[in-house]
Amino acid sequence: MADPGVQASIHKNLKTTLPRISNFISSNRFREVNLVGRLYPDSRPISLSHWALPGGEGAWQDWVFDDVIKQEFTPVKIGDSFGPTWTTHWFKLEFEIPEEWIGKEVRIRWGTNSEATVWSHDGHVLQGLSTGDPDAKRPDYPITRSYEGQAGPQVFYIEMAANKLLGASSGDQIDPPDPNLMFTLSLAEIAMLDSTVYQLTHDLEVLYQLANELIPDQRGYQAMYTANQMVNSIIAGDDSGATALAEQYFAKGNGARCHTLASIGNCHLDTAWLWPYSETKRKVARSFASQLKIMENYPEHIFVASQAQQWAWCKEYCPELYGRVKEQVAAGKFLPVGSTWIEMDGNIPSGESFVRQFFFGQKFYQQELGMICKEFWLPDTFGYSAQIPGLMKHVGLERFLTQKMSWSLVNKFPHHNFIWEGIDGSSVLAHFPPGDSYHMNLTVEEALWTEKNLQDKGRTGISAFLFGFGDGGGGPTQDMMERRRRLADTDGCPKMEMMTPDQMFERLESEKHNFCRWVGELFLELHNGTYTTQAAMKRLCRKVEFALRDAEFYLSMAVGLLGISVTSPLLQQSLADLEISWKKVLLNQFHDVIPGSSIEIVYPQAEELYNEALLTATSVRDEAIKAIFGDTVTTSHVVVNSLQWSRDEVLKLPVGTVKPGAVTQKIQDGAEEYVLVSAPSMGYSLVEAGTPPFPVTVNEVDNVFVLDNGIVQAEITSTGQLISLKVAADDRDVFRHTDGTQLFGNQVTIFDDEPLYWDAWDVMDYHLETPEVVNAKDSTYSITPVTIVESGPLLVKLRWGVELSKSSSFTQEIELAAASHYLSFSTSVSWHEDHKILKTVFDTGIQTNKANFDIQFGHLQRPTHMNTSWDTARYEVCGHKWADISEPDWGFAILNESKYGWMARGHQLSLSLLRSPKAPDYTADMKDHSFKYAVMPHKGTLQEAQVVRRAYEFNNPLLKFDLPLDVTFEDSWVSVEGDGAVLHTIKPADDGSGDIIIRMFESHGCKSKITVKLSIAVASVKESNGMEASGVDVPFSEEGGITLIPVSLTPFSIKGLRLAPGTATSVLQ
Ligand SMILES: [Zn+2]
């Protein structure tokens, strides 16, 4: 028995003592004599056979375990290789545990340099494996902690996925996958683990870390001397003496002043990234099963899993595992976190998409687990919209967690704990784990760094410490659990206390009076190329968001307002179909899919999901419209309008749609003609050709094309540049400087776009130094000059084009329609470039130092100057349907229907159109693209000029239907008296009750009082929210068959109403 007291090493020499300890627990060196070499004192080979599942990526989804094991397995051996990339290989493992191992821990040790799943002989998912350098994160499976003997022949299965933890690149992590990766079987055995050695290894490991971090502090020296003495003791054959030394050291607890790290196990699992969705489904099973396995022996373990979609996949693909997960949910150990369907991008999804992320996430947790989450958990997203606090409040959440702001390239965010205030004034408690990571390995270094890095010292005594392998899933390991036990309460290190997010946030809430306030967006100064990369993802997202909006609106009209029965299949089936469609859209909003940072294989699959959702939304809309208009004998042409204001718009209709003699404009192909049509707010009108108050004209004077529709006047050069843009009868020109200098708009500009590393993600500040305007007057590019394609009176169209390079071309149709407030640019690009970004740039004469950008349910003002490093870093920013720069009484807006990347600098406003990164998808955006944008000069403020309405119209044109119809000329089902509020969403309640949910927002940043008018009787109106709850009664009245609901809104507030159709005494049955 060694002396239990701490013995200093003979020589006070750090340079020898610390390496001595390190070598004694090295996995690579001195294994013949050190402690790690004693971990597995005995092992046996396994009898192995193999079956290759036919097919490649995702093929495993067609097979169930019972069929797999009936296949013909053939013998294989160490050294054999399996692949290629994304294929699946099943191994049958047969062995007997030697009887001399009774009482010992027995493990399967495995090596294929890949991910894999251990299955029991009867089809239970037991644990994930992740093996090989550098991914040896979970290289073995503990069969039993203490072998009881007489077990007889054992059979296990291992399902090998031919990919690594982080995908399948053979070079750098973000290189595109290597399609020909092969995986070699390097280890397959059962082994007896010496549990005393295992414990001593971790004692020494943690003491070594403490010594390394704390010396020259006294406690660090104590750790070193203790560890050194333990080594002496172990060499002398006294393991128990060494254990006693370690216990004595770790027993010295922390004082009350010590910071607490809320240790929360997690496995940030990217729903797709360097692997496709199909692999994530298996990664969920591996990660979840691995955590259940740890819980068997570490009852203190708390594991949180976000993204309801991943839980749903577990239920669908591994129901037996899912049942065991639910048992641990009930025990309070395995917890859902985050509230959302997936961890979405924080910038691009619409306001309504955000609401549905929460709604369908919480709905799943409520239905499946009988609980909902209390926090919004989004650790890894590339910036956070300034409306998120308002959206969180709208769905009943007040706690937010992320860590990504630590990635900002220029400025260090000044808080880890703060009150975050959004554009509507809503405040939530925000926490950033001060370790600036969500995949801590649970080391002393990380724990000390977390405490040291905390920006709010003195204001809080607790911080989150999120540990467990992440990105590719996995989560905590047994080794991490061992280290945490030793660091739970040890002098010299922060307390590592396992707790739930709820417990942590409760502690933070008790201290929130100490926290500072941050107002506005959380702008990540990195990854700003993700507003533009993979253009189709953005275009389809916007398109489907509007299609779903329309589908829900017309379905509401059919069901709630026009008397379709609540039991009708139209309602119930449509609700079910729309939920499926929404979930496809929400899935694609994952924070590596919609930003464009996933590998190539992800994108065709995501496009298919978007297109399916689009098809369903269109079909629900059409069925609802048919239902509204009934089955009558006459056929009529109708235009429908799902926006809350009346509109005049030029549509392209088949010749003969309107009566002869009306004002129309024949199109060159002869089959269609332009017609000016009108529609009332949220309603319909029979198609009747209107007469434009001012016919659109185009004149060419000296190679300049002058367009005028009585609202907008524009002058365009032969190379497609704008040199004049005015509101009619106003002499202020967007493209004249105050001193009269000529300025240019629609400068089609290519910049070099070579990031430092994160290719698909980043557009760096220095790209701005390399502009090349391709359509300048003296351009050397091959330009097809402007020609007049349509010349009025309803629509003027010009066309021009330019060869961007030998392989890329750009064609644009510039249109001005009668009654339109904007000039639009329909653009087609065949894009085949390397590391270039394409923008359209507008140098304006507007004197301002701020710009406004459309965001979720509101807009955000940002400076256009570069006064501070914070302003300078915002050179590429996110905006949705429009951006505007204005003086107080006039200004200029750009509208778009599929773009999100903007720059506003000085008097310049530009819209990013396409990028060409090569990693992780070498083919990103290398194809044909079509998109539109528009420019709108305006008098007055953007609010007075109704820029918000114009942008909605640009994204949501009037629709024409041929319907059996026998009704009045037109009808408006819903309208709004008063300005500022936008009824964005009108939808049937998700519960199928026939109630109608109205979600509106104040769009001008002003207080407003409005009255919502509906041509329907309602039994009740209640306050509601994003969860569609019924709140307090809202007063309403009825006047001549119209229901009037007065509503007050504060700036940018989001408001929900829940209407029960029917009369005041009888709710619709
Ligand atoms: Zn992530």
Side-chain angles (χ1 to χ4, degrees), residues 847-905:
Q847 176 62 37
T848 182
N849 58 22
K850 55 190 181 297
N852 283 287
F853 299 86
D854 180 42
I855 61 169
Q856 295 81 356
F857 293 156
H859 60 265
L860 175 70
Q861 195 167 81
R862 298 182 176 109
T864 60
H865 56 68
M866 298 189 284
N867 282 359
T868 69
S869 60
W870 295 83
D871 303 323
T872 308
R874 283 190 280 187
Y875 52 86
E876 180 82 5
V877 297
C878 188
H880 287 196
K881 301 182 290 297
W882 57 267
D884 182 278
I885 52 172
S886 293
E887 294 174 15
D889 58 352
W890 78 295
F892 167 70
I894 302 179
L895 320 177
N896 77 77
E897 41 66 90
S898 60
K899 300 296 174 191
Y900 295 85
W902 300 86
M903 189 189 75
R905 272 288 155 85

Side-chain angles (χ1 to χ4, degrees), residues 268-270 273 343 380-382 404 438 471 590-592:
H268 180 79
L269 173 48
D270 288 322
W273 179 31
E343 285 186 17
D380 187 32
T381 287
F382 313 149
K404 199 70 180 184
Y438 46 73
D471 293 332
F590 176 72
H591 67 253
D592 279 307

Side-chain angles (χ1 to χ4, degrees), residues 450-461:
T450 300
E451 184 181 18
K452 185 177 172 201
N453 191 42
L454 173 66
Q455 298 293 301
D456 315 295
K457 292 191 185 74
R459 297 172 189 271
T460 176

